[in-house]
Amino acid sequence: MKKSWWKEGIVYQIYPRSFCDSNGDGIGDLRGIIRKLDYIAGLGVDIVWLNPVYKSPNADNGYDISDYFDIMDEFGTMDDWETLLEELHSRGIRLIMDLVVNHTSDEHPWFIESRSSIDNPRRNYYIWRPPTDKHEPNDWQSIFSGPAWQYDSNTGEYYLHLFDKKQPDLNWENPSLRKDIYAMMRWWLDKGVDGFRMDAINFISKVPGLPSVGSKLPDADRSGMQYYINGPRIHEFLKEMRTEVLEGHDILTVGETFGVSPELACRYTGGDPPEIDMLFHFELMKLDQKTSDRFRYTPWKLREMKEIIEKWQHTLHGRGWNSNYLMNHDQPRAVSRFGNDGPFRRESAKLLATLTLTLEGTPYIYQGEEIGMTNPRFESIDDYRDVELFNHYREQSAKGVPDSELLPGYHRFSRDNARTPMQWDGSTHAGFSTGTPWMKVNPDYSEINVHTELSRHDSIYEYFRLLIKLRKENKTLVYGDFTLLDPGNPRSFCYLRRDDEKTFLVTLNFSAKETELPVQTGSSGNSDNGGWEIKLCNYPESGKKDIHSLLRPWEARVYTKI
Ligand code: TEU
Ligand code: CA
């Protein structure tokens, strides 16, 4: 297997709007990030991924770009961005930028021209269709609720928007559009960026003719997704991007790809060179969300989580490359979702970190994960900020669904769960801003914040640091193979990571009950430890001398074979 820095590296994701506000306007910014670089570097991460910082009217917090070549006013200037890049590089940290090229803002000059007349040269930069029987051209549904088409009275046609109506989809069938996108990517590479996280990248090729779903399919399939996910020309476009832009650059590319199987992931990430280096799949994110209703909870079992992880670890081993994440800016807080944000918050936050950082594939840590931040439970819809939620709310309340029925779903699944301001200390607004934050701080900030965390010798932050160090010092944890132990066990998740040199054993108790280990690792007071030496444990007495045969509630341990 080919080795590389982006396989061995660890990524820290920053959502700039919510990270740190340097000038008191309530919005996080680039200067704020620069202030916190030693904090980030202290974790031992090597790569920072920034969510979009380009000019944007912020219908979807920067995922609606109006100028690819400039920085959003609220976040600062291009000079600030250059300083950030320099300061990261001087600490040995690389920077990857979000690349949003499935759509732009409707305020992008291309779209303004495109909508101006049917024969404008930019008309075909977007996807326009005349009405069908005075209605939408087809029955596709927007990912953010409602039809995926918006009527424009100026020319009497509809344009396609898979996301909000302020995010018109670009027409990748048009070679001039592709040329302009590639030129923009080269421009950022010339500025020194170290890679791209490609937003919704497997949505860019739509099935020609844009067929309607029709009424035959069951409800879950009515979105039209089957006509644009991994569409007919996706591999061709990515290969073209590789030749036109990426070739000759030593960078990291990661695709955000909803609806990809492990086999397909091998096709995307397995070539030489690969189409994209790695991708984010959504199978774990669907564990507790199995219906087409984004805000409906479905119970999940640990066994299912183990099956998914095992399948991805096995299928991609030697044939592609994984990326591992338990949350990001679109997902609930991992500790509230997969852990225990009550009495075992600290233990379970560390346990989840152990999982992310001991699998094959590149690990991604999202801001606040390293201090165990939790989902807020806002009591009023007005406290939320996300366009996805508001569009859903508008649709549902128009149908007469009361707030009290909608709030539990929002508490659990709103993307704003991950977007509340970073909790730096116990002062007003958690030290995020001296002004009024753009979104309320989670009320638990007086207990959960960086300052309190760093003052403890057993902090979650420190545990992340130790795990990262362990991974860096042991390439077995990066490249080794994966064997699941005791797959049917409903409470524990245990596995081996192995190569020619070393074997690691990871044991995770995903429950508040004591659980037996599937492997003989010796017991308290017993010198026969089965040849296992403990390297890391999320309980204070680190277990070095005292090796229990039972895993305590939410206990995580990493052993190595001696
Ligand atoms: O997300 C794309 C996407 O399809 C999902 O993550 C979707 O947001 C999720 O299933 C919830 O419905 C990306 C970005 O990560 C997201 O923040 C943007 O809003 C979206 O693209 C549009 O650019
Ligand atoms: Ca600010």
Side-chain angles (χ1 to χ4, degrees), residues 21-23 25 27-29 74:
D21 173 20
S22 71
N23 62 353
D25 66 354
I27 299 174
D29 47 52
E74 294 93 320

PDB file of all heavy atoms in Angstrom, residues 21-23 25 27-29 74, ligand 2:
ATOM      1  N   ASP A  21     -14.631  34.675  17.737  1.00  0.00           N
ATOM      2  CA  ASP A  21     -14.927  36.003  17.200  1.00  0.00           C
ATOM      3  C   ASP A  21     -13.889  36.991  17.711  1.00  0.00           C
ATOM      4  O   ASP A  21     -13.811  37.230  18.918  1.00  0.00           O
ATOM      5  CB  ASP A  21     -16.343  36.397  17.629  1.00  0.00           C
ATOM      6  CG  ASP A  21     -16.679  37.831  17.265  1.00  0.00           C
ATOM      7  OD1 ASP A  21     -15.999  38.399  16.374  1.00  0.00           O
ATOM      8  OD2 ASP A  21     -17.623  38.386  17.866  1.00  0.00           O
ATOM      9  N   SER A  22     -13.110  37.598  16.822  1.00  0.00           N
ATOM     10  CA  SER A  22     -12.020  38.477  17.277  1.00  0.00           C
ATOM     11  C   SER A  22     -12.445  39.933  17.437  1.00  0.00           C
ATOM     12  O   SER A  22     -11.752  40.711  18.069  1.00  0.00           O
ATOM     13  CB  SER A  22     -10.845  38.409  16.292  1.00  0.00           C
ATOM     14  OG  SER A  22     -11.187  39.062  15.082  1.00  0.00           O
ATOM     15  N   ASN A  23     -13.586  40.329  16.839  1.00  0.00           N
ATOM     16  CA  ASN A  23     -13.910  41.767  16.860  1.00  0.00           C
ATOM     17  C   ASN A  23     -15.271  42.090  17.463  1.00  0.00           C
ATOM     18  O   ASN A  23     -15.778  43.197  17.304  1.00  0.00           O
ATOM     19  CB  ASN A  23     -13.805  42.339  15.446  1.00  0.00           C
ATOM     20  CG  ASN A  23     -14.808  41.684  14.497  1.00  0.00           C
ATOM     21  OD1 ASN A  23     -15.476  40.722  14.872  1.00  0.00           O
ATOM     22  ND2 ASN A  23     -14.918  42.206  13.295  1.00  0.00           N
ATOM     23  N   ASP A  25     -18.346  41.233  16.804  1.00  0.00           N
ATOM     24  CA  ASP A  25     -19.597  41.373  16.051  1.00  0.00           C
ATOM     25  C   ASP A  25     -20.481  40.129  16.168  1.00  0.00           C
ATOM     26  O   ASP A  25     -21.521  40.027  15.527  1.00  0.00           O
ATOM     27  CB  ASP A  25     -19.327  41.708  14.571  1.00  0.00           C
ATOM     28  CG  ASP A  25     -18.640  40.565  13.831  1.00  0.00           C
ATOM     29  OD1 ASP A  25     -18.264  39.565  14.480  1.00  0.00           O
ATOM     30  OD2 ASP A  25     -18.483  40.671  12.595  1.00  0.00           O
ATOM     31  N   ILE A  27     -19.744  37.085  15.269  1.00  0.00           N
ATOM     32  CA  ILE A  27     -19.493  36.075  14.238  1.00  0.00           C
ATOM     33  C   ILE A  27     -18.018  35.671  14.271  1.00  0.00           C
ATOM     34  O   ILE A  27     -17.134  36.540  14.241  1.00  0.00           O
ATOM     35  CB  ILE A  27     -19.855  36.646  12.842  1.00  0.00           C
ATOM     36  CG1 ILE A  27     -21.348  37.020  12.805  1.00  0.00           C
ATOM     37  CG2 ILE A  27     -19.507  35.658  11.734  1.00  0.00           C
ATOM     38  CD1 ILE A  27     -21.777  37.718  11.536  1.00  0.00           C
ATOM     39  N   GLY A  28     -17.770  34.400  14.346  1.00  0.00           N
ATOM     40  CA  GLY A  28     -16.396  33.907  14.319  1.00  0.00           C
ATOM     41  C   GLY A  28     -15.708  34.364  13.042  1.00  0.00           C
ATOM     42  O   GLY A  28     -16.366  34.640  12.042  1.00  0.00           O
ATOM     43  N   ASP A  29     -14.386  34.477  13.069  1.00  0.00           N
ATOM     44  CA  ASP A  29     -13.678  35.011  11.908  1.00  0.00           C
ATOM     45  C   ASP A  29     -12.252  34.452  11.823  1.00  0.00           C
ATOM     46  O   ASP A  29     -11.808  33.719  12.704  1.00  0.00           O
ATOM     47  CB  ASP A  29     -13.686  36.548  11.962  1.00  0.00           C
ATOM     48  CG  ASP A  29     -13.298  37.059  13.343  1.00  0.00           C
ATOM     49  OD1 ASP A  29     -12.242  36.639  13.853  1.00  0.00           O
ATOM     50  OD2 ASP A  29     -14.075  37.852  13.938  1.00  0.00           O
ATOM     51  N   GLU A  74     -17.656  39.159   6.776  1.00  0.00           N
ATOM     52  CA  GLU A  74     -17.721  38.874   8.213  1.00  0.00           C
ATOM     53  C   GLU A  74     -16.487  38.105   8.713  1.00  0.00           C
ATOM     54  O   GLU A  74     -16.168  38.145   9.891  1.00  0.00           O
ATOM     55  CB  GLU A  74     -18.958  38.026   8.559  1.00  0.00           C
ATOM     56  CG  GLU A  74     -20.286  38.711   8.337  1.00  0.00           C
ATOM     57  CD  GLU A  74     -20.866  38.428   6.960  1.00  0.00           C
ATOM     58  OE1 GLU A  74     -20.081  38.412   5.962  1.00  0.00           O
ATOM     59  OE2 GLU A  74     -22.084  38.242   6.868  1.00  0.00           O
TER      60      GLU A  74
HETATM   61 CA    CA B   2     -16.173  38.627  14.093  1.00  0.00          CA
END
